[in-house]
Amino acid sequence: MTVIGIGADGWDGLGPAGREALRAAEVVLGGHRQLDLLPPECPAERVPWPSPLRPAVPGLFAAHAGRRVSVLASGDPMFFGIGRTLAEELGADRLRVLPHPSSISLACARLGWPVEDTEVISLVGRPLASLARALYPRRRLLVLGAGAASPAEVAALLRDRGFGPSRMRVLEQLGGERERHLDGTADHWHHTPGDALNVIALDCAPAADALRLSAVPGLPDQAYEHDGQLTKRHVRAATLAALAPAPGELLWDVGGGSGSIAVEWLRTHRACAAVSIERDPVRATRIGRNAAALGVPGLRVVTGAAPGALAGLPTPDAVFIGGGLTAPGLLEACWAALPAGGRLVANTVTLESEALLAQWYRRHGGELVRIAVAHAAPVGGFTGWRQAMPVTQWAAAKPAEGETSP
């Protein structure tokens, strides 16, 4: 089948190959907006996408087997488009893709921004909160709007996250006859909702009192809502270093507390995934709020006590145990769940759990370290060191079957 990218300029913007494929097609699938752009000279049956789309794809194409099928997509089908879904569901070898300039390329052309230096966030089918992860001073972002209300929603999120001074430019109907640009700041965004087809350009600028969030683990403790169950900043940074996240990997955060380890694992790369397991329902709800506030609303929260709550979860690449180490069978269940090469990191401040970690260190090797942090604090009219409780940390990688631990 041929997958044809089409822009707001419609039929006039298509190349010869795309026009030929559409004229020859017996069936054309696409969204209502794309299908409405076709002229009468395309005689094919026009089939709009069903909702939800992905589960219907195999049956939809099976129903049209043996017919010449073309698919219409917005802009570049392989850039936040239907092309990815079709390749994953049907196989890339069945597709012939004819891309159109994407809205991102058109937006960068209008703004004079280099495409390779511009981060893109799509809100189409994705939560607004995911934008928060990309907010840093002086960053340029392009946000693919999910509808006419998206600019106002983005402005509200920027204000809430301390980025109200950021410049916002909304580019509607890019490449079409009705192209329009709007300008303003998030603090003073008073434009009424316009066209549903929009891209939002952001020049990120924090307010003077905005909390600075780093691109690396070790966010300020104030970034989290918590009840005291929080892996503190310096220990958190050391813990993420031991967990060693990589793109596409999955973390189990066992005994989530405030969710800080899982949240900062997810913030390392957009392809990372995490499950936070927390037995207290109030804390579990709080973890979800922290994840949304810090731009990783995809964090999955499981309410229940481990090891029982671990049953049925997808295989992790790494496991962090931040609480409940002495629960019967917990360490055994987490170790057994890991594949070869998977990492387990456990922190504790109690002598009982420390003794348990020492046993596992003797059995499986790895690293057993003690992390001590002291903060300068007033001592009368002077300043001295106030020691936090030291944290014992065991970190180990699971050997392949037949190998022995070092």
Side-chain angles (χ1 to χ4, degrees):
M1 70 193 70
T2 304
V3 186
I4 303 154
I6 191 169
D9 49 359
W11 183 258
D12 291 341
L14 293 178
R19 292 188 183 189
E20 180 183 351
L22 289 167
R23 289 192 187 104
E26 296 173 284
V27 179
V28 178
L29 297 101
H32 288 285
R33 183 175 59 81
Q34 286 89 23
L35 293 173
D36 289 343
L37 295 172
L38 295 182
E41 64 189 86
C42 295
E45 178 186 355
R46 304 182 187 190
V47 180
W49 293 121
S51 182
L53 191 155
R54 184 179 278 266
V57 165
L60 186 62
F61 283 90
H64 297 290
R67 306 177 73 187
R68 292 187 300 277
V69 177
S70 287
V71 174
L72 282 177
S74 292
D76 184 345
M78 304 307 297
F79 188 75
F80 290 105
I82 190 64
R84 174 176 178 170
T85 299
L86 297 179
E88 292 173 350
E89 293 290 337
L90 305 176
D93 58 334
R94 294 185 59 186
L95 308 181
R96 175 193 181 211
V97 180
L98 303 175
H100 185 278
S102 70
S103 58
I104 297 307
S105 293
L106 293 172
C108 286
R110 304 293 189 271
L111 298 164
W113 291 2
V115 177
E116 69 271 18
D117 292 338
T118 303
E119 186 169 356
V120 179
I121 296 93
S122 176
L123 300 183
V124 180
R126 296 169 174 83
L128 175 68
S130 60
L131 172 59
R133 177 183 166 275
L135 298 178
Y136 294 103
R138 297 181 298 280
R139 286 293 292 164
R140 288 173 167 174
L141 308 177
L142 285 179
V143 181
L144 302 177
S150 288
E153 293 169 351
V154 167
L157 182 138
L158 291 174
R159 293 193 297 269
D160 184 63
R161 299 302 193 275
F163 277 77
S166 301
R167 184 181 181 186
M168 291 180 53
R169 283 172 280 184
V170 175
L171 297 85
E172 300 177 346
Q173 288 284 336
L174 277 164
E177 294 180 353
R178 297 188 292 117
E179 181 172 328
R180 184 176 73 142
H181 301 177
L182 303 173
D183 203 337
T185 66
D187 274 335
H188 304 286
W189 190 260
H190 303 304
H191 297 286
T192 57
D195 196 274
L197 192 63
N198 61 69
V199 175
I200 306 158
L202 303 177
D203 289 280
C204 296
D209 59 350
L211 184 66
R212 182 177 177 84
L213 301 181
S214 170
V216 299
L219 300 183
D221 293 345
Q222 308 94 287
Y224 293 94
E225 179 187 348
H226 64 91
D227 61 0
Q229 290 295 314
L230 173 72
T231 302
K232 299 301 190 290
R233 180 180 193 174
H234 299 91
V235 174
R236 193 184 327 127
T239 300
L240 266 296
L243 286 167
E249 290 190 329
L250 170 68
L251 170 75
W252 286 1
D253 177 19
V254 183
S258 64
S260 62
I261 296 296
V263 165
E264 297 193 26
W265 169 281
L266 289 171
R267 283 176 60 92
T268 62
H269 196 275
R270 68 174 66 186
C272 286
V275 182
S276 188
I277 301 95
E278 172 55 55
R279 65 181 180 180
D280 186 306
V282 174
R283 288 178 180 162
T285 301
R286 187 181 294 123
I287 290 171
R289 291 198 297 269
N290 281 330
L294 291 167
V296 287
L299 172 60
R300 178 182 174 187
V301 183
V302 172
T303 305
L310 305 178
L313 295 181
T315 300
D317 298 286
V319 175
F320 171 67
I321 305 176
L325 269 171
T326 56
L330 176 58
L331 266 168
E332 289 82 357
C334 291
W335 188 254
L338 285 168
R343 291 91 63 203
L344 191 149
V345 177
N347 290 357
T348 188
V349 295
T350 70
L351 292 175
E352 292 79 6
S353 293
E354 184 179 89
L356 181 62
L357 292 183
Q359 294 174 16
W360 279 72
Y361 171 65
R362 286 194 296 271
R363 190 185 314 165
H364 297 289
E367 286 188 306
L368 189 66
V369 301
R370 177 167 289 178
I371 304 169
V373 178
H375 296 272
V379 180
F382 298 92
T383 302
W385 293 109
R386 180 164 296 161
Q387 186 76 40
M389 291 185 71
V391 174
T392 299
Q393 180 182 94
W394 177 58
K398 187 174 180 177
E401 189 172 348
E403 294 181 0
T404 57
S405 300

